[in-house]
């Protein structure tokens, strides 16, 4: 088709190929070079330029437009048998009832164990370097934070914190069941999320499940030893649990918890006072021991309420 001194070719792509008349060779001294072609002809041409924004190709039918390694190709009208092998295979497969998997399994290239090495060689990509044609991925020295595992960890931590925030709002509203569900969801997403562990531990302490609270606070401190609230809540909960053990006459274990709280924070006054009272009670008469139990029980009640008050006013 001639339009404005240019020759338009139909190709099997969304691009429109334009061949200037000067790039169409003449087959005679006085022949119109366009008279040699008809609508529906299959034409092989060399690409001179490509406008990717407008979807246009500029082509030539002269062999000089080809790279040296393709100089043996015939340009101009070709038959369907001269089309690329993969194109002919795709056309024949499209007309058959074979599935993609069956075609793939019967392809020699797919079954060839050296296919990857062969393609790497063709693309001049070394096996010791990242096998990518993207320039940004060809560097050998990637930062640890750029790998998928690290990125996934950051994404999980961010998602988990959103659940913790929702849980804290439920906690402040007195909806403890909903709060626990959000904390558990956060820990399913990120099982080492410190804020979720501290928040769930505080809720356990508020509900009286002190052993579970201690476990969560200790896990939080293992992941982040500098977390202030985790340390504070753990110390308070250890003192509370120590008071419970005293009531159960497990004085040695109670003493161990008080000492553990002081190891975490040697300035924690409640733990220091509870330990001193326990040591005195062990040496005095039974009626005095019973009196001390009531004193510790009052301290326990205060500590539990203290955790809930801090959470509701300041958060985790």
């Amino acid at each position: 088709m001639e339009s404005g001194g240019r020759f338009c070719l139909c190709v099997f792509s969304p691009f429109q190929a334009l061949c200037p008349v000067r790039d169409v060779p003449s087959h005679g001294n006085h022949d119109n070079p366009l008279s040699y072609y008809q609508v529906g002809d299959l034409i092989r041409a060399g690409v001179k330029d490509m406008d990717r924004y407008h979807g246009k190709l500029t082509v030539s039918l002269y062999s000089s437009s080809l790279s040296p390694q393709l100089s043996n190709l015939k340009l101009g009208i070709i038959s369907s048998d001269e089309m690329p092998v993969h194109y002919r295979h795709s056309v024949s497969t499209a007309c058959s009832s074979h599935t993609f998997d069956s075609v793939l399994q019967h392809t020699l290239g797919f079954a060839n164990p050296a296919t990857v090495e062969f393609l790497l060689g063709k693309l001049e990509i070394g096996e010791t370097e990242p096998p990518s044609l993207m320039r940004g991925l060809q560097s050998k020295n990637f930062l640890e934070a750029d790998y998928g595992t690290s990125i996934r960890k950051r994404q999980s931590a961010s998602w988990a914190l959103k659940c913790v925030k929702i849980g804290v709002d439920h906690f402040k509203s007195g909806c403890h069941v909903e709060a626990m569900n959000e904390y558990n969801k956060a820990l399913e997403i990120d099982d080492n999320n410190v804020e979720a562990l501290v928040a769930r531990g505080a809720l356990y302490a508020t509900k009286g499940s002190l052993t579970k609270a201690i476990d969560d606070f200790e896990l939080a401190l293992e992941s982040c030893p500098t977390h202030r609230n985790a340390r504070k809540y753990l110390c308070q909960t250890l003192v509370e649990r120590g008071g419970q053990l005293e009531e159960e006459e497990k004085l040695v274990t109670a003493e161990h918890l008080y000492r553990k709280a002081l190891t975490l924070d040697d300035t924690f006054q409640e733990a220091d006072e509870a330990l001193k009272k326990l040591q005195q009670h062990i040496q005095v008469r039974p009626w005095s021991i019973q009196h001390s139990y009531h004193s510790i029980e009052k301290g326990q009640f205060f500590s539990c309420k203290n955790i809930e008050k801090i959470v509701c006013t300041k958060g985790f």
Side-chain angles (χ1 to χ4, degrees), residues 279-316:
Q279 291 173 339
Q280 293 174 359
H281 296 160
I282 294 176
Q283 301 173 3
V284 298
R285 291 176 297 177
W287 69 267
S288 180
I289 297 177
Q290 183 65 32
H291 175 73
S292 68
Y293 289 159
H294 291 293
S295 299
I296 294 175
E297 184 177 357
K298 292 180 181 179
Q300 170 190 343
F301 177 78
F302 169 76
S303 180
C304 182
K305 291 297 182 182
N306 192 28
I307 292 179
E308 184 174 5
K309 182 178 179 181
I310 294 175
V311 172
C312 290
T313 56
K314 300 182 180 180
F316 299 102

Side-chain angles (χ1 to χ4, degrees), residues 11 152 229 255 259:
V11 295
R152 171 64 67 181
N229 283 345
E255 182 181 7
R259 292 186 183 278

Side-chain angles (χ1 to χ4, degrees), residues 85-143:
V85 175
H86 295 295
Y87 172 78
R88 286 188 276 123
H89 284 173
S90 65
V91 172
S92 61
T93 302
C95 299
S96 67
S97 59
H98 295 295
T99 63
F100 173 81
D101 288 338
S102 64
V103 173
L104 189 63
Q105 294 295 336
H106 288 84
T107 302
L108 293 178
F110 179 77
N112 183 0
T115 298
V116 175
E117 290 77 6
F118 177 78
L119 290 177
L120 289 176
K122 283 292 185 181
L123 297 174
E124 298 181 354
I125 300 176
E127 295 185 29
T128 59
E129 299 177 0
S132 175
L133 295 177
M134 298 178 64
R135 184 173 301 175
L137 299 179
Q138 292 174 353
S139 173
K140 294 182 180 180
N141 301 318
F142 291 105
L143 297 176

